[in-house]
Amino acid sequence: MARVNEVCVPQTLKDLPQWVLWRYVTRDGKTTKPPFQASGHPASHSDHATWTTYDRAIRALESGGFDGVGIVLTDHDDICGIDLDHCMNHG
């Protein structure tokens, strides 16, 4: 089961109702991590109706069927994020 070290998630982020879940999906031979709602339906980075609270996202993650959680950042947030995919050399 996937786990989140909740101590490392700032309360400022936990308070935002902008959470989604993700699971690994293979599309066209590539692994991707699309966003999902806690219900298991697809979520959208641009549709706030598909986001949830941190607590609900964690409960859904702990119930199984997902590989992780993520937060959606918007133009209205005073937060920025950096996505560092493929930045590590594991060889």
Side-chain angles (χ1 to χ4, degrees):
M1 171 176 50
R3 304 273 320 180
V4 172
N5 185 346
E6 295 191 47
V7 174
C8 294
V9 181
Q11 189 64 46
T12 303
L13 296 182
K14 289 178 181 179
D15 291 342
L16 296 174
Q18 298 169 201
W19 290 86
V20 295
L21 296 108
W22 59 268
R23 68 174 70 104
Y24 290 110
V25 174
T26 302
R27 291 185 186 154
D28 300 322
K30 295 182 180 183
T31 302
T32 185
K33 302 183 301 188
F36 288 92
Q37 300 176 56
S39 66
H41 292 96
S44 170
H45 70 278
S46 60
D47 182 358
H48 65 88
T50 65
W51 309 340
T52 192
T53 64
Y54 176 81
D55 290 335
R56 187 162 184 224
I58 293 299
R59 282 195 307 273
L61 178 66
E62 290 173 346
S63 294
F66 299 103
D67 294 306
V69 297
I71 190 164
V72 178
L73 301 180
T74 72
D75 292 339
H76 305 291
D77 299 319
D78 292 331
I79 301 168
C80 70
I82 300 171
D83 189 357
L84 300 173
D85 289 338
H86 310 292
C87 66
M88 302 289 292
N89 181 355
H90 296 287

